[in-house]
Amino acid sequence: MELSRNVPESVGYAAKRLLLGKPMITDELKNERLTNPVALGVLAPDAISSTAYGSELILVELLPYAGLAAFSLLLPITGVILCILILVAASYRQVVMAYTRAGGSYVVARENFGPRVAQIAAAALLIDYVVTVAVQASAGTVAVVSAIKPLGPYSLEITIAVVVLMCWANLRGLREAGRPFAMPTYFFTGMVLVMIVVGVVREATTGLAKYVPSELPGTVEVHQGNGLIAGATLLILLRAFANGGSSLTGVEAISNTVGSFRKPEGPNARQVLTVMACVLGILLTGVAWLAYETHATPYVDGYPSVLSEIARRVFGGGALGSTLYVLLQIATAAILFTGANTSFNGFPALANFVAADRFLPRQLGKRGHRLVFSNGIIVLALLAIVLLVATGGSVNALIPFYAIGVFTGFAMAGYGMTKHHLTHKERGWRRRLAINLGAGVVSTVVVGIFAIAKFTEGAWLVVVVFPLLVFGLIRLNREYRAEAAILEEFRSNRPEQVNYARHTAFVLVSAVDLAVLEALRYGHGLRADELTAVHLMVDAEQARKLRTRWEHYGLRTPLTIIDCPDRRLTRGVQRLVVEALGEAPRSHVTVLLPRRTYAPLLGRLLHDRSADKISRAVSEIPHAAATIIPFDVQAEIRKAFPDVVEERLTRRVEQLQARIARDDESARREHDEPAAASTLAIGGLLPGHRGTVEGRVRDTFDRTIDDDRFTQGTVHIVEISDDSGLLRLRFAPDDDRPAGGADIVPGQVVRASGKARQGRKGVIMINPEYEIVGGSDGSTDGDGTDGSADTDQG
């Protein structure tokens, strides 16, 4: 028989399956190899998409101080950035040849400097991935609202919705290794190249019309003096350069996924990296030149974007120009959102590597429902959303958080490869060493420029968070290593097995109920030398009632009541265990703790977790152990009160799950059958809800009813009782049949099911379904109450 027919799935799992689809088995995990054209399209969006905002961020810093001279400064700053691009790309060409595993700068640093130093690269990349999601998603939204301006006030909400959608899609197992994810890169590249070519032709023939910032309401402030002398200080130039450095983000993406290339992995990855760097350089140069020619000016609100304004000038009006403009905006949004989505593969994969090295929690290395690193995906989405809310979704506000992590990763890769060349000294190592060392030094300088020039604009947060994150990673690793050292101690200090002369078991009792009976059954199965039920007395009256009920049911396990005047139950149990261990040498004590499991949310609110606390306290004592015996109260509630609102909702979800699972017809029929109702104590009935009770008949009689709330006329009353209370079964005649219950006589044991109501003299049931399960002589036909006194033996 299938497991699903015996053990029903939880409501949470049903909801997960509804949202994420059916689970995937491990055999379905595939590592798809990429051809070079597909790899370029899949891995390059993060880098190439930065063309959409790189020049704009430079102008945002320059215009308020340098005025229109900012457009003249834009080209040389872009030239410096291109030189760094060439150096960094040359450095990563060495990385992809030497390290064909995924991991990029983290793996390079770990292999050459050890895992502790590698956490600098890990922290840098983790921060980079989080900020990449926020920046790329925000920039993609800017592309959308640039074309559809009425959506502008809702930019933040749109961006957060996009991030949530990406998270959901990746939790479902979205795979990026295919042509659909390569299309936005080629589409965007093609449209920007078309814009550049059209712009060059128009400038050479008719000339491109220039914007006049003073005539454009809503643009950033433009300095009106002699900008080159009055405003363009060294600090402003450094801040503009720092903003423009964000254009180089994503260059490392190929080194992080070398293993995904077809063989030979290294040469193929190097070729794609070279092409990507060339494309990025051409697009950055072209967009910067067009911004210089058109004087496209950024807006305070962030939209329309500079790229959008350039496209309007280059393509002009008319049907063809408008069509090309719309296509460019679509391509821009597509590649930016795709670039943001790449982090949902990169961050979980890197977190998996770091977790495997025991510097992050192990949970980040576990594959989820759809064979993806679900915990990493969720953590990334939450951190990105927090960052978006904190910055209002502004690309300019996010940039200070961006390039510090990016260039730190560049620096670690450069220094790591420098150490690699010094160690291996392969052919041409001196030339390669110069390239990698140069990339490392330049990247370090850029990090310093960012930290200083953008410190007051938010970089201070990264400067503070970055070392704390590195410290936290190292601290987690120390904890993992300490735990492993203790758990592995058996290699040199293997404890001898102890044969205990005496085994004592205690069952902690707070009430007489099914949870305690289950614990008593388990205790008898231990075959201990002595089994004792123990109640720690806090309330003398409650203890008295407990002993009365214990004796009433004739439970054969002895009950000991221990006074606990200070109400420190945990301490009381510890004293009990220590005294039991001291009574006999070479003895062992087991404490059994009944734990009642309630509703997930209300249960935590209405009940404490004392069993867990006591268990931890007992485990600290040598030669003592604590065992928690769970009892699912919530499951029994679902059987006893199936008409409670929460349980009706639960059943609806379970039925939906059954349709999703699409089991065979017999399994569906079995699922749809109502669960057998649990028998309640009469005192546990809830007025207004259905329930099933069992009790002995005390009296039967007829009575005339004159009450507007109930059926009028002569009714038959049956009184049944158990140790918890009295219930009246009221049988009223109807048009088709006389009143029921005539076959019930005093002394019988009756099981009745129906809706409980609150009457004048107590709880009643009207026309219940009933079954006589025991005769008046005290015998039982089924699960009557007689003979139940020994239910703890088992």
Side-chain angles (χ1 to χ4, degrees):
M1 181 175 290
E2 296 180 4
L3 179 64
S4 60
R5 298 187 184 182
N6 294 323
V7 183
E9 301 289 1
S10 66
V11 177
Y13 181 83
K16 177 190 288 187
R17 181 159 179 166
L18 177 64
L19 290 173
L20 304 182
K22 68 177 183 179
M24 297 176 66
I25 61 175
T26 306
D27 292 342
E28 296 180 67
L29 184 63
K30 298 178 181 178
N31 183 18
E32 186 174 347
R33 297 282 180 164
L34 303 177
T35 62
N36 287 7
V38 173
L40 177 63
V42 169
L43 302 177
D46 189 7
I48 292 178
S49 63
S50 60
T51 304
Y53 52 80
S55 298
E56 178 173 351
L57 293 173
I58 296 175
L59 292 173
V60 166
E61 287 293 344
L62 289 178
L63 284 170
Y65 302 95
L68 295 180
F71 294 103
S72 298
L73 294 171
L74 173 62
L75 294 181
I77 291 176
T78 302
V80 175
I81 292 171
L82 291 177
C83 292
I84 298 176
L85 170 63
I86 294 172
L87 187 59
V88 170
S91 176
Y92 273 99
R93 278 171 55 89
Q94 311 302 323
V95 172
V96 298
M97 291 297 294
Y99 297 94
T100 57
R101 282 191 60 198
S105 58
Y106 175 73
V107 172
V108 175
R110 186 185 62 182
E111 296 296 326
N112 291 283
F113 299 120
R116 292 170 67 86
V117 176
Q119 300 318 303
I120 298 175
L125 290 173
L126 292 172
I127 292 174
D128 176 38
Y129 281 128
V130 173
V131 184
T132 293
V133 173
V135 170
Q136 299 276 48
S138 296
T141 302
V142 169
V144 173
V145 300
S146 295
I148 311 174
K149 293 182 181 179
L151 295 178
Y154 308 101
S155 297
L156 179 59
E157 291 80 358
I158 294 173
T159 305
I160 293 176
V162 168
V163 173
V164 172
L165 182 62
M166 288 179 185
C167 177
W168 171 73
N170 282 276
L171 287 175
R172 287 185 62 89
L174 180 68
R175 304 187 68 86
E176 291 190 336
R179 287 188 177 87
F181 282 91
M183 293 299 294
T185 303
Y186 289 104
F187 184 25
F188 176 78
T189 301
M191 289 305 304
V192 175
L193 287 175
V194 168
M195 183 182 69
I196 294 172
V197 171
V198 173
V200 170
V201 172
R202 292 194 62 179
E203 177 63 21
T205 55
T206 61
L208 286 172
K210 287 181 169 58
Y211 289 102
V212 180
S214 60
E215 299 177 358
L216 300 175
T219 60
V220 297
E221 180 186 356
V222 179
H223 182 71
Q224 299 301 320
N226 188 339
L228 285 173
I229 297 174
T233 63
L234 178 61
L235 180 61
I236 300 305
L237 290 175
L238 291 178
R239 289 168 62 176
F241 166 75
N243 270 11
S246 62
S247 300
L248 302 186
T249 57
V251 174
E252 79 288 348
I254 291 175
S255 69
N256 293 335
T257 53
V258 180
S260 299
F261 283 82
R262 291 185 177 179
K263 295 183 179 181
E265 294 91 343
N268 284 331
R270 181 174 59 180
Q271 182 180 352
V272 172
L273 176 63
T274 304
V275 174
M276 182 189 72
C278 292
V279 171
L280 177 58
I282 292 171
L283 298 186
L284 283 176
T285 304
V287 172
W289 178 77
L290 289 174
Y292 164 75
E293 291 293 340
T294 61
H295 284 189
T297 308
Y299 282 75
V300 174
D301 292 334
Y303 66 93
S305 65
V306 166
L307 186 66
S308 170
E309 294 299 281
I310 292 173
R312 289 190 183 278
R313 277 290 186 261
V314 170
F315 293 137
L320 179 60
S322 298
T323 301
L324 291 174
Y325 170 80
V326 171
L327 289 176
L328 176 64
Q329 294 306 109
I330 293 174
T332 304
I335 192 173
L336 286 166
F337 289 144
T338 303
N341 192 66
T342 57
S343 290
F344 281 96
N345 273 344
F347 181 95
L350 175 63
N352 171 51
F353 281 125
V354 180
D357 291 336
R358 299 189 299 184
F359 285 90
L360 277 176
R362 291 191 181 98
Q363 293 89 328
L364 293 174
K366 293 182 179 179
R367 294 189 181 272
H369 190 75
R370 299 283 293 178
L371 292 181
V372 294
F373 297 113
S374 304
N375 293 331
I377 291 172
I378 294 172
V379 168
L380 174 61
L382 291 176
L383 291 176
I385 290 173
V386 169
L387 192 57
L388 285 168
V389 173
T391 60
S394 168
V395 176
N396 189 45
L398 287 164
I399 287 303
F401 303 96
Y402 205 5
I404 288 183
V406 174
F407 280 94
T408 301
F410 291 168
M412 293 302 297
Y415 294 140
M417 287 303 299
T418 300
K419 176 71 178 301
H420 174 83
H421 295 314
L422 289 173
T423 303
H424 295 84
K425 295 184 177 179
E426 68 281 6
R427 173 182 288 185
W429 65 274
R430 289 183 176 85
R431 176 179 57 83
R432 296 173 183 173
L433 182 146
I435 293 173
N436 292 126
L437 181 59
V441 171
V442 170
S443 298
T444 303
V445 171
V446 174
V447 171
I449 291 173
F450 249 96
I452 296 172
K454 307 292 288 186
F455 187 83
T456 58
E457 297 183 15
W460 66 269
L461 184 59
V462 180
V463 172
V464 172
V465 169
F466 191 89
L468 291 178
L469 179 56
V470 174
F471 172 79
L473 295 174
I474 294 175
R475 179 65 182 83
L476 284 175
N477 177 255
R478 187 174 68 182
E479 185 69 20
Y480 272 135
R481 287 189 292 112
E483 293 171 357
I486 296 301
L487 294 174
E488 292 288 321
E489 200 175 51
F490 75 92
R491 296 176 182 272
S492 57
N493 184 23
R494 185 172 300 178
E496 297 181 0
Q497 292 185 351
V498 179
N499 294 320
Y500 294 106
R502 181 174 178 79
H503 182 200
T504 302
F506 295 112
V507 179
L508 295 192
V509 175
S510 60
V512 180
D513 56 21
L514 288 176
V516 169
L517 297 184
E518 289 294 333
L520 290 174
R521 289 192 184 99
Y522 185 88
H524 281 285
L526 294 177
R527 300 287 189 262
D529 296 294
E530 181 182 357
L531 175 65
T532 305
V534 176
H535 174 70
L536 298 176
M537 184 176 68
V538 175
D539 185 330
E541 180 62 20
Q542 180 186 359
R544 185 191 64 78
K545 292 180 179 178
L546 175 65
R547 181 174 290 283
T548 300
R549 285 176 60 83
W550 197 272
E551 295 171 352
H552 171 78
Y553 285 106
L555 300 177
R556 294 185 299 184
T557 304
L559 173 66
T560 299
I561 296 179
I562 299 176
D563 190 15
C564 190
D566 58 1
R567 298 172 303 283
R568 297 175 64 189
L569 300 182
T570 301
R571 191 69 175 171
V573 174
Q574 287 181 320
R575 286 197 297 266
L576 172 68
V577 172
V578 170
E579 291 173 2
L581 289 172
E583 291 177 357
R586 297 176 55 244
S587 61
H588 181 77
V589 172
T590 299
V591 178
L592 303 179
L593 302 162
R595 181 169 67 186
R596 301 152 183 86
T597 305
Y598 301 94
L601 295 179
L602 285 179
R604 289 186 176 274
L605 178 65
L606 301 178
H607 305 280
D608 60 15
R609 307 283 290 182
S610 56
D612 298 301
K613 299 175 184 177
I614 295 174
S615 174
R616 287 193 295 269
V618 171
S619 300
E620 296 174 357
I621 303 174
H623 309 298
T627 302
I628 292 177
I629 311 299
F631 182 80
D632 194 346
V633 179
Q634 186 64 21
E636 298 302 318
I637 292 175
R638 292 172 59 183
K639 294 179 183 178
F641 303 108
D643 56 337
V644 176
V645 174
E646 292 87 344
E647 303 311 329
R648 289 202 300 269
L649 179 60
T650 298
R651 288 201 306 275
R652 297 294 183 272
V653 175
E654 290 176 344
Q655 290 167 2
L656 179 61
Q657 175 199 355
R659 289 196 294 271
I660 296 174
R662 300 193 184 284
D663 292 330
D664 55 49
E665 186 64 29
S666 62
R668 282 197 298 271
R669 285 198 302 269
E670 181 176 332
H671 179 83
D672 291 337
E673 291 177 358
S678 294
T679 302
L680 300 170
I682 290 176
L685 286 172
L686 297 180
H689 297 286
R690 293 185 59 83
T692 299
V693 296
E694 191 173 289
R696 189 170 297 279
V697 180
R698 288 179 43 175
D699 193 9
T700 65
F701 54 89
D702 293 331
R703 172 173 294 176
T704 300
I705 298 298
D706 186 10
D707 192 331
D708 294 338
R709 295 180 301 166
F710 306 118
T711 304
Q712 298 183 13
T714 301
V715 297
H716 186 61
I717 305 295
V718 176
E719 292 183 345
I720 63 173
S721 65
D722 60 12
D723 66 302
S724 67
L726 174 71
L727 172 68
R728 287 182 173 84
L729 308 180
R730 180 176 295 175
F731 296 94
D734 55 29
D735 296 337
D736 299 328
R737 59 183 176 81
D743 55 338
I744 300 176
V745 298
Q748 292 178 328
V749 177
V750 173
R751 181 181 298 134
S753 299
K755 179 176 288 189
R757 303 191 184 193
Q758 186 63 48
R760 291 179 177 177
K761 296 183 180 181
V763 181
I764 63 172
M765 280 187 185
I766 298 177
N767 290 332
E769 299 175 358
Y770 69 92
E771 177 186 3
I772 300 173
V773 296
S776 58
D777 58 354
S779 61
T780 60
D781 299 329
D783 297 328
T785 56
D786 290 350
S788 63
D790 296 331
T791 53
D792 63 305
Q793 312 299 322

